[in-house]
Coordinates of all heavy atoms in Angstrom, one line a residue:
V25 N 55.6 -12.1 29.7 CA 54.2 -11.8 29.8 C 53.5 -12.8 30.7 O 53.7 -13.9 30.5 CB 53.6 -11.8 28.4 CG1 52.1 -11.5 28.4 CG2 54.3 -10.8 27.4
T30 N 48.5 -16.2 39.1 CA 49.9 -16.7 39.2 C 50.2 -17.8 38.2 O 51.3 -18.3 38.2 CB 50.1 -17.2 40.7 OG1 49.1 -18.2 40.9 CG2 50.0 -16.1 41.7
L39 N 50.9 -16.6 21.7 CA 50.8 -16.6 20.2 C 49.6 -15.7 19.8 O 49.8 -14.8 18.9 CB 50.6 -18.0 19.6 CG 50.5 -18.0 18.1 CD1 51.8 -17.5 17.5 CD2 50.3 -19.5 17.7
L46 N 50.5 -7.7 16.2 CA 51.0 -7.6 14.8 C 49.9 -7.0 13.9 O 50.2 -6.1 13.0 CB 51.5 -9.0 14.2 CG 52.0 -9.0 12.8 CD1 53.3 -8.1 12.8 CD2 52.4 -10.4 12.4
R51 N 47.8 -2.3 10.8 CA 46.8 -1.3 10.6 C 47.3 0.1 10.7 O 47.1 1.0 9.9 CB 45.6 -1.6 11.5 CG 44.6 -2.6 11.0 CD 43.4 -2.6 11.8 NE 43.7 -3.0 13.2 CZ 43.3 -4.1 13.8 NH1 42.5 -4.9 13.2 NH2 43.6 -4.4 15.0
K57 N 50.9 5.1 6.0 CA 51.3 5.1 4.6 C 50.2 5.8 3.8 O 50.5 6.6 2.8 CB 51.5 3.7 4.1 CG 52.8 3.1 4.5 CD 52.9 1.7 4.0 CE 54.2 1.0 4.4 NZ 54.3 -0.4 4.0
E59 N 48.1 8.2 4.8 CA 48.2 9.6 5.1 C 49.3 10.3 4.3 O 49.2 11.3 3.8 CB 48.3 9.8 6.6 CG 47.1 9.4 7.4 CD 45.9 10.2 7.0 OE1 46.0 11.4 6.7 OE2 44.8 9.5 7.0
V62 N 48.7 10.9 0.6 CA 47.8 12.0 0.3 C 48.5 13.2 -0.2 O 48.0 14.0 -1.0 CB 46.9 12.3 1.6 CG1 46.2 13.6 1.5 CG2 45.9 11.2 1.9
G65 N 53.8 14.1 -4.4 CA 53.8 14.5 -5.8 C 52.9 15.7 -6.1 O 52.5 15.8 -7.2
Y68 N 53.2 22.8 -3.4 CA 53.0 23.2 -2.0 C 51.5 23.6 -1.8 O 51.0 23.3 -0.8 CB 54.0 24.4 -1.7 CG 53.9 24.9 -0.3 CD1 54.4 24.2 0.7 CD2 53.3 26.1 0.0 CE1 54.3 24.6 2.0 CE2 53.2 26.6 1.2 CZ 53.8 25.9 2.3 OH 53.7 26.3 3.5
K71 N 49.3 20.6 -1.5 CA 49.5 20.0 -0.2 C 48.8 20.7 0.9 O 48.1 20.0 1.7 CB 51.0 19.9 0.1 CG 51.8 18.9 -0.7 CD 53.3 19.0 -0.4 CE 54.1 18.4 -1.5 NZ 54.3 17.0 -1.3
L72 N 48.8 22.0 0.9 CA 48.1 22.8 1.9 C 46.6 22.6 1.8 O 45.9 22.4 2.8 CB 48.4 24.2 1.8 CG 49.8 24.7 2.4 CD1 50.1 26.1 2.1 CD2 50.0 24.3 3.9
F75 N 45.8 19.1 3.0 CA 45.9 19.0 4.5 C 44.7 19.7 5.2 O 44.2 19.2 6.1 CB 47.2 19.7 4.9 CG 47.4 19.7 6.4 CD1 47.8 18.5 7.1 CD2 47.3 20.8 7.2 CE1 48.0 18.5 8.4 CE2 47.4 20.8 8.5 CZ 47.8 19.7 9.2
V79 N 42.1 17.9 7.7 CA 41.8 18.4 9.0 C 40.3 18.6 9.3 O 39.8 18.1 10.3 CB 42.6 19.7 9.4 CG1 42.1 20.4 10.6 CG2 44.1 19.4 9.4
E81 N 37.8 17.1 7.6 CA 37.2 15.8 7.5 C 37.3 15.1 8.9 O 36.4 14.6 9.4 CB 37.8 14.9 6.4 CG 37.3 15.4 5.0 CD 38.0 14.6 4.0 OE1 39.1 13.9 4.2 OE2 37.6 14.6 2.8
N87 N 33.5 14.7 15.5 CA 32.3 15.4 16.2 C 31.0 15.0 15.6 O 30.0 15.8 15.7 CB 32.5 17.0 16.0 CG 33.7 17.4 16.9 OD1 33.6 17.4 18.1 ND2 34.7 17.9 16.3
W89 N 29.8 15.0 12.7 CA 29.4 16.0 11.7 C 28.6 17.1 12.3 O 27.8 17.8 11.6 CB 28.7 15.3 10.5 CG 29.7 14.6 9.6 CD1 30.2 13.3 9.9 CD2 30.3 15.1 8.5 NE1 31.2 13.0 8.9 CE2 31.2 14.1 8.0 CE3 30.2 16.2 7.7 CZ2 32.0 14.3 6.9 CZ3 30.9 16.3 6.6 CH2 31.8 15.4 6.2
N90 N 28.7 17.4 13.6 CA 28.1 18.5 14.2 C 29.0 19.7 14.0 O 30.1 19.8 14.5 CB 27.9 18.2 15.8 CG 27.2 19.4 16.5 OD1 27.7 20.5 16.4 ND2 26.2 19.0 17.1
K91 N 28.4 20.6 13.2 CA 29.2 21.7 12.8 C 29.5 22.8 13.9 O 30.7 23.3 13.9 CB 28.5 22.4 11.5 CG 28.6 21.5 10.3 CD 27.6 21.9 9.3 CE 27.5 21.0 8.1 NZ 26.8 19.7 8.5
T93 N 30.0 22.1 17.1 CA 31.0 21.4 17.9 C 32.3 21.4 17.1 O 33.4 21.6 17.7 CB 30.6 20.0 18.3 OG1 29.3 20.1 18.9 CG2 31.6 19.4 19.3
N103 N 30.8 30.7 10.9 CA 30.9 31.3 9.5 C 32.1 30.9 8.8 O 32.1 30.5 7.6 CB 30.8 32.8 9.6 CG 30.5 33.4 8.3 OD1 29.8 32.9 7.4 ND2 31.2 34.6 8.1
L109 N 34.0 24.6 4.6 CA 33.3 23.4 4.2 C 32.8 23.6 2.7 O 32.8 22.7 1.9 CB 32.1 23.2 5.1 CG 32.5 22.7 6.5 CD1 31.3 22.5 7.3 CD2 33.4 21.5 6.5
H112 N 35.7 23.3 0.3 CA 36.2 21.9 0.1 C 35.0 20.9 -0.2 O 35.2 19.7 -0.2 CB 36.9 21.4 1.4 CG 38.2 22.1 1.6 ND1 39.3 21.8 0.8 CD2 38.6 23.1 2.4 CE1 40.3 22.6 1.2 NE2 39.9 23.4 2.2
L114 N 32.3 20.0 1.4 CA 32.1 19.1 2.5 C 30.8 19.3 3.2 O 30.5 18.7 4.2 CB 33.2 19.2 3.5 CG 34.6 18.7 3.1 CD1 35.7 19.0 4.1 CD2 34.5 17.2 2.8

Side-chain angles (χ1 to χ4, degrees):
V25 178
T30 58
L39 181 59
L46 183 59
R51 277 190 295 247
K57 285 180 181 178
E59 294 298 322
V62 167
Y68 181 73
K71 289 176 195 273
L72 285 176
F75 179 74
V79 167
E81 288 173 345
N87 290 296
W89 286 80
N90 181 304
K91 291 164 188 71
T93 307
N103 190 38
L109 295 178
H112 292 285
L114 291 172

